[in-house]
Amino acid sequence: MQELGAMPEDRSIAREAVLVGVAVKFFSCFGQNAVVGPLSANRVFTGMPDAMECYAYWKDIRDKHIVHDESALTFEGTGLVLGSGGDLHEVLSMKVSIGITDREHAQLLYDLIDHTLKHLEKEVSDLLPAIFEEAAAMTADERLSLPCMSFTKPNLSDVATRR
């Protein structure tokens, strides 16, 4: 979002690409996935009805305009260009898409992301002492018997789903 804010207004295609990436990535944090549980918008924005309204607005933009392109922000049509006597001059195909990279829209999304990050940082900082306390209450042998944390680099079959 900071990169988007620094981009000149006349770089509309690049601005839209950045905004699309940010919106898709941000809302993926609130969706089901196999790695970690999703965030709950109701929990993150508790007591903030304006933020929930903004969240729902941006989620609709993400779902209906960015990802699936089924919103009123996009129009596609094919028409005929006719002369004064009805003579066919040309066939015209047109797509019009309303821009959402203006400062106001970007600021709304930035505010959602900023609040969400602060919410998560607080949850983590509140949870760490309890984890430390639980681990401290274990015997040394119990701690040593815990499974080692490891990461295995995924291969193609782990990443791609073939149909």
Side-chain angles (χ1 to χ4, degrees), residues 132-152:
F132 189 85
E133 185 178 311
E134 184 178 333
M138 297 169 79
T139 67
D141 287 339
E142 288 173 323
R143 286 191 295 269
L144 289 170
S145 70
L146 291 171
C148 292
M149 188 182 331
S150 65
F151 174 77
T152 303

Side-chain angles (χ1 to χ4, degrees), residues 76-95:
E76 293 183 33
T78 301
L80 303 176
V81 178
L82 304 175
S84 60
D87 298 342
L88 177 62
H89 286 275
E90 189 66 69
V91 175
L92 178 70
S93 182
M94 178 173 71
K95 179 176 180 176

Side-chain angles (χ1 to χ4, degrees), residues 74-125:
T74 302
F75 167 80
E76 293 183 33
T78 301
L80 303 176
V81 178
L82 304 175
S84 60
D87 298 342
L88 177 62
H89 286 275
E90 189 66 69
V91 175
L92 178 70
S93 182
M94 178 173 71
K95 179 176 180 176
V96 177
S97 185
I98 303 299
I100 54 170
T101 61
D102 57 275
R103 299 276 181 210
E104 184 179 1
H105 275 94
Q107 187 64 49
L108 290 174
L109 184 56
Y110 178 86
D111 291 345
L112 287 175
I113 293 168
D114 184 57
H115 174 79
T116 302
L117 284 172
K118 288 175 182 168
H119 173 85
L120 289 173
E121 288 169 356
K122 182 178 179 340
E123 281 197 343
V124 168
S125 67

